[in-house]
Amino acid sequence: MQTIEQLIQELKLTPEQAEGVKQYMNSLLVELLESIKQDHINNFDETINNLRNN
């Protein structure tokens, strides 16, 4: 698996392009983590509610 830095070097990006790629990847990662976090919260809430109702 390539790192972002390796990809940047392979594509011979300018510093400005490299910064844009890093910012884009970071925003995608934040979105993914927020989605995973929300899924886990929902799963915990559902489990807690099921345990309370039994």
Side-chain angles (χ1 to χ4, degrees), residues 1-48:
M1 180 188 285
Q2 279 187 318
T3 65
I4 294 173
E5 291 298 328
Q6 289 169 330
L7 178 64
I8 287 168
Q9 288 176 3
E10 184 178 308
L11 295 174
K12 298 179 170 106
L13 300 180
T14 66
E16 294 81 16
Q17 291 170 322
E19 189 58 34
V21 167
K22 288 178 188 178
Q23 288 178 2
Y24 178 71
M25 296 299 283
N26 284 342
S27 68
L28 288 178
L29 184 56
V30 167
E31 267 187 61
L32 175 63
L33 291 172
E34 286 290 342
S35 176
I36 291 169
K37 175 184 165 186
Q38 192 59 49
D39 286 346
H40 283 286
I41 289 170
N42 291 341
N43 288 339
F44 280 123
D45 287 343
E46 183 178 320
T47 301
I48 290 167

